[in-house]
């Protein structure tokens, strides 16, 4: 992240997503991975704030960014002080890796250790580098400050935090992108992955690694977020682990009716119910647990009335 990016089109999508988790009661922590401004035109895509089209996705966020984005000295501290990410903890120390290769390794280690303490109260940590993930995991590399390191994601996750990090597709082809976005799923196989991609401007993806105990809650937050118009600007991507939201948890049963048809009912990882009929094995029905119970109650009520 650079201060010059504050309030641009990509920033809007990022904050809208984080606000969905904050609104659901999740304690969010933000590590800006803040680097120095570079004088480029990056971050100047703020014209969307002069129109009303994007405001429908989050009016309060839109109005607040409108007061910040055009300031000549805008910074992440404007976001922190604005209230749009309420009850959030931040780590905003500049990631400055000037010096020798040895200096860069030492500075990076010291910088990251401070972030662990600053974000210790967060349940979900958002990592906001300029470019994404550095596959080599080598902090001594040139421009390493523009990336998160796999070991840093792993450290947060192993300390009990859920993690979401920004990732830029760039010019990667389909195969390279599939491998790149799935790298951390292979490194932390116990994590439940989700990838959401924001399609306004250049493609920006947000890659989640979620602890199993929190997965149902997080899926509900994401599904609700996507259901309210946000699917116009966000999409969910396939991962190397497939659709983990649809994984069967092992809790299920089958019932054979007098007509010989067997109905199998299974609970999915996202807490929805999957129903499969033996006469139409390829026609799978997915319903929420609440809808499933409503159906059972209605059937029971009708049967009771008939009797």
């Amino acid at each position: 992240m650079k201060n010059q990016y504050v309030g641009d089109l990509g920033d809007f999508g990022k904050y809208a997503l984080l606000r969905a988790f904050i609104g659901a009661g999740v304690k969010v922590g933000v590590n800006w991975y803040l680097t120095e401004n570079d004088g480029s035109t990056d971050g100047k895509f703020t014209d969307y704030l002069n129109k009303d089209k994007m405001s429908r996705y989050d009016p309060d966020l839109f109005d607040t960014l409108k007061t910040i984005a055009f300031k000549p000295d805008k910074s992440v501290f404007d976001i922190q002080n604005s209230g749009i990410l309420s009850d959030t903890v931040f780590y905003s120390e500049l990631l400055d890796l000037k010096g020798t290769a040895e200096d860069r390794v030492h500075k990076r280690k010291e910088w990251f250790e401070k972030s662990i303490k600053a974000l210790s109260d967060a349940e979900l940590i958002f990592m906001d580098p300029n470019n994404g993930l550095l596959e080599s995991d080598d902090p001594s590399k040139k421009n390493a400050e523009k990336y998160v390191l796999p070991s840093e994601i792993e450290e947060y996750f192993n300390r009990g935090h859920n993690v979401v990090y920004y990732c830029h597709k760039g010019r990667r082809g389909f195969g390279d992108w599939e491998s790149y976005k799935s790298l951390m799923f292979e490194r932390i196989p116990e994590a439940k992955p989700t990838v959401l991609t924001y399609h306004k401007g250049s493609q920006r993806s947000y890659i989640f690694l979620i602890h199993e105990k929190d997965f149902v809650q997080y899926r509900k937050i994401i599904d609700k977020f996507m259901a309210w118009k946000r699917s116009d600007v966000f999409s969910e991507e396939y991962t190397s682990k497939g659709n983990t939201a649809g994984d069967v948890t092992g809790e299920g049963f089958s019932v054979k009716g007098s007509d010989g048809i067997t109905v199998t009912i299974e609970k999915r990882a996202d807490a929805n119910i999957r129903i499969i009929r033996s006469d139409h094995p390829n026609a799978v029905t997915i319903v929420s647990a609440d809808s499933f119970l409503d159906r059972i109650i209605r059937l029971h009520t009708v049967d009771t009335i008939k009797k």
Side-chain angles (χ1 to χ4, degrees):
M1 178 65 174
K2 297 181 185 295
N3 287 322
Q4 70 194 62
Y5 300 160
V6 168
D8 76 354
L9 186 56
D11 234 27
F12 180 87
K14 171 174 68 185
Y15 301 140
L17 177 59
L18 292 179
R19 279 164 60 83
F21 283 87
I22 294 167
V26 174
K27 182 73 172 182
V28 172
V30 174
N31 184 340
W32 293 112
Y33 277 73
L34 187 64
T35 57
E36 294 179 337
N37 287 351
D38 60 11
S40 71
T41 59
D42 292 345
K44 292 187 177 180
F45 297 100
T46 54
D47 189 54
Y48 75 97
L49 292 167
N50 293 320
K51 306 164 188 176
D52 290 331
K53 185 176 180 181
M54 293 294 288
S55 67
R56 63 181 176 143
Y57 299 110
D58 193 326
D60 291 340
L61 172 60
F62 184 89
D63 290 343
T64 301
L65 290 182
K66 203 168 185 178
T67 68
I68 296 172
F70 301 106
K71 294 171 61 176
D73 58 347
K74 64 184 179 181
S75 76
V76 295
F77 296 102
D78 291 314
I79 299 299
Q80 293 179 194
N81 297 328
S82 69
I84 58 173
L85 300 179
S86 59
D87 196 33
T88 295
V89 288
F90 299 94
Y91 182 62
S92 49
E93 183 169 324
L94 190 71
L95 180 53
D96 182 2
L97 301 182
K98 294 184 179 72
T100 65
E102 186 177 344
D103 289 337
R104 291 196 291 273
V105 172
H106 175 73
K107 287 181 179 180
R108 180 80 177 230
K109 184 174 184 292
E110 188 177 69
W111 173 89
F112 185 73
E113 286 176 349
K114 289 181 182 178
S115 82
I116 292 173
K117 184 176 181 180
L119 303 175
S120 61
D121 291 338
E123 177 186 317
L124 172 65
I125 293 180
F126 171 56
M127 308 167 78
D128 194 20
N130 295 330
N131 292 346
L133 183 71
L134 186 63
E135 296 175 76
S136 69
D137 206 13
D138 182 359
S140 69
K141 278 200 166 186
K142 184 180 179 181
N143 294 324
E145 68 274 10
K146 295 182 179 181
Y147 298 84
V148 296
L149 303 182
S151 56
E152 292 168 346
I153 297 172
E154 199 167 22
E155 180 70 23
Y156 281 151
F157 188 86
N158 288 342
R159 286 177 175 270
H161 304 285
N162 298 301
V163 177
V164 53
Y165 64 95
Y166 167 82
C167 207
H168 189 61
K169 181 181 179 181
R171 297 179 180 178
R172 294 179 181 87
F174 177 79
D176 289 341
W177 172 239
E178 290 299 306
S179 298
Y180 184 58
K181 73 182 181 185
S182 299
L183 190 149
M184 291 308 302
F185 308 153
E186 309 302 327
R187 183 155 175 159
I188 311 177
E190 66 271 28
K192 294 285 189 178
T194 296
V195 180
L196 298 182
T197 295
Y198 181 63
H199 295 286
K200 288 294 182 181
S202 60
Q203 178 174 317
R204 300 167 172 89
S205 294
Y206 299 93
I207 300 181
F208 287 80
L209 294 110
I210 305 167
H211 286 274
E212 186 170 2
K213 66 181 179 63
D214 298 315
F215 188 65
V216 169
Q217 177 196 9
Y218 278 41
R219 279 306 319 183
K220 287 180 178 179
I221 295 169
I222 290 169
D223 291 344
K224 183 178 179 181
F225 174 77
M226 296 290 284
W228 195 85
K229 298 180 182 177
R230 274 85 173 208
S231 58
D232 295 349
V233 292
F234 276 91
S235 64
E236 184 167 356
E237 292 200 34
Y238 180 86
T239 76
S240 61
K241 283 192 172 183
N243 177 19
T244 55
D247 288 348
V248 176
T249 63
E251 302 173 29
F253 61 92
S254 297
V255 178
K256 188 172 184 178
S258 58
D259 56 3
I261 296 173
T262 298
V263 177
T264 300
I265 299 169
E266 299 169 322
K267 181 182 176 183
R268 303 190 340 159
D270 60 4
N272 287 325
I273 304 298
R274 180 167 73 173
I275 304 171
I276 306 172
R277 292 169 53 103
S278 61
D279 56 335
H280 297 290
N282 295 322
V284 178
T285 301
I286 307 297
V287 297
S288 69
D290 289 341
S291 295
F292 178 75
L293 289 173
D294 284 344
R295 291 185 186 188
I296 298 297
I297 292 169
R298 285 200 303 271
L299 287 172
H300 176 71
T301 302
V302 170
D303 188 53
T304 301
I305 291 172
K306 285 181 179 179
K307 289 180 179 179

